[in-house]
């Protein structure tokens, strides 16, 4: 990628990225790594330099969450590459006509390209009399560690994050009682077939975790959850019912937003020139249906960062390095105790499920007709990327251009 300049004045292009999660940070690194020599500024509300958010749930109880362990890059890395990471700073408004972002302290920053990588916040359940814990940031993790040190834990939500927290607490706790409350008929009901959900539930029950499915919370607080059947569960309550995308800035910029998030094209462009969205907030066309779809995975957010950098370079007229394609098929992984589980594609979208068992591991493939659309690998970590490539090869091409 050649150096990028604007106009006869030779003024440097300014790229502003809102969000220090992995999507925004990867965009900054990719731009600079491919030769972009304009200004790159990344604004983040947290006081920390960019860190591995996946460590929060996987290493919640006994893992090392220090700066030295989970910070993505050494502090000097960013200054050496002239990437300005501005922490503890909130962007409150976007003026697309003047190409300015406004900060909470009333200062402004101009941009030629703006990336909204604002991520999301923990979804709130109705009926809360006092706030249960949730897990989105390092500050959340630090508070949770202290709260769950003694006594039972009640986790509301049987998705990937809720189950990672359950596994972390059950593994570390001596005599801790862990209960997972899931309103659906099975764990992980949105992402895996029922047979896989039952296998995951068995992993937890064998370690003493109580699993309640079909359980509807009607009231919850910091220490109690009341279910529709009249049961009251007590302990440290952790809400793990998903996230809601942070859309305030997108709305202030006049972007098209729907229930899925900020609607973008295949290359992560919004409908407003010079404005892009990436990561958990971006609703990219679903490769199978074309409908806007968010994918809340670390790997997808990383790939969004690469893709949006390539798109910006193309739009600014400097070309784009498209030699390494950016997959559209999601891939998520989780550790449940010592078992690696990978979710590939859309395992609940098919009409036929095939199960391959090898010793204590398995691969569950989901087909729509004869077409592979999803898979779950249990104890078969090496299989996930190959299955992803197989699904990707069957999709219609989509380019940056």
């Amino acid at each position: 990628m050649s150096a990028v300049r604007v106009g006869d004045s030779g003024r440097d292009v300014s790229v502003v990225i809102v969000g220090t999660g992995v999507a925004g940070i990867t965009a900054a690194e990719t731009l600079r790594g491919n030769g972009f020599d304009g200004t790159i500024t990344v604004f983040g509300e947290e006081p920390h330099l960019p860190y591995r958010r996946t460590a929060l749930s996987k290493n919640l109880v006994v893992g090392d969450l220090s700066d030295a362990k989970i910070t993505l890059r050494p502090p000097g890395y960013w200054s050496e590459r002239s990437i300005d990471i501005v922490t503890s700073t909130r962007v409150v408004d976007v003026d697309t006509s003047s190409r300015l972002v406004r900060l909470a302290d009333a200062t402004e920053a101009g941009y030629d390209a703006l990336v909204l990588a604002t991520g999301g916040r923990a979804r709130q359940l109705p009926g809360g009399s006092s706030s249960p814990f949730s897990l989105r940031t390092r500050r959340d993790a630090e508070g949770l560690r202290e709260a769950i040190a003694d006594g039972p834990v009640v986790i509301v939500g049987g998705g990937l994050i809720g189950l990672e927290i359950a596994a972390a607490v059950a593994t570390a706790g001596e005599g801790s009682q862990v209960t997972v409350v899931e309103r659906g008929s099975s764990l992980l009901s949105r992402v895996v077939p029922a047979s896989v959900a039952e296998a995951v539930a068995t992993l937890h029950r064998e370690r003493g975790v109580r699993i309640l499915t079909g359980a509807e919370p009607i009231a919850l607080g910091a220490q109690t959850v009341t279910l529709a059947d009249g049961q009251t569960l007590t302990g440290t309550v952790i809400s793990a019912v998903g996230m809601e995308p942070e859309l305030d800035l997108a709305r202030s910029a006049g972007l098209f937003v729907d229930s899925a998030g900020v609607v973008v094209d295949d290359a992560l462009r919004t409908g407003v020139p010079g404005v892009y969205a990436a990561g958990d907030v971006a609703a990219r066309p679903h490769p199978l249906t074309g409908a806007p779809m968010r994918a809340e995975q670390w790997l997808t957010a990383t790939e969004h960062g690469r893709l949006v950098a390539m798109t910006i370079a193309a739009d600014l007229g400097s070309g784009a390095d498209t030699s390494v394609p950016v997959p559209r098929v999601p891939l998520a992984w989780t550790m449940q105790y010592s078992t690696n589980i990978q979710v590939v594609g859309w395992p609940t979208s098919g009409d036929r499920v095939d199960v391959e068992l090898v010793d204590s591991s398995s691969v569950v493939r989901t087909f729509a007709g004869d077409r592979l659309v999803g898979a779950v690998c249990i104890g078969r970590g090496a299989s996930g990327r190959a299955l992803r490539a197989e699904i990707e090869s069957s999709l219609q091409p989509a380019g940056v251009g």
Side-chain angles (χ1 to χ4, degrees), residues 16-19 41-45 84-95 99-111 114-116 118 249 252:
V16 169
I17 300 168
V18 184
T41 306
V42 188
F43 293 107
E45 293 190 29
D84 191 11
I85 307 292
V86 185
T87 59
S88 302
T89 300
R90 186 163 62 94
V91 179
V92 297
D93 190 29
V94 178
D95 181 345
R99 297 209 175 193
L100 293 171
V101 297
R102 296 190 176 93
L103 311 181
D105 65 2
T107 59
E108 297 177 337
Y111 69 85
L114 171 65
V115 179
L116 299 183
T118 48
L249 277 184
S252 80

Side-chain angles (χ1 to χ4, degrees), residues 356-382:
E356 173 191 338
L357 297 173
V358 179
D359 299 324
S360 59
S361 65
S362 63
V363 174
V364 178
R365 294 176 173 85
T366 302
F367 295 85
D370 293 329
R371 182 183 189 181
L372 179 68
V373 294
V376 183
C377 309
I378 302 176
R380 296 276 292 276

Side-chain angles (χ1 to χ4, degrees), residues 284-317:
R284 196 180 179 202
H286 194 301
L288 301 181
T289 68
M293 174 200 71
R294 282 189 306 109
E296 301 168 12
Q297 296 97 15
W298 173 269
L299 185 57
T300 296
T302 304
E303 291 163 348
H304 274 200
R306 285 175 40 222
L307 175 59
V308 78
M310 291 159 47
T311 304
I312 289 170
D315 289 350
L316 293 174

Side-chain angles (χ1 to χ4, degrees), residues 15 22 123 158 207 244 292 306 358 380:
V15 175
V22 70
R123 179 175 286 116
R207 277 105 177 147
E244 297 175 343
R306 285 175 40 222
V358 179
R380 296 276 292 276

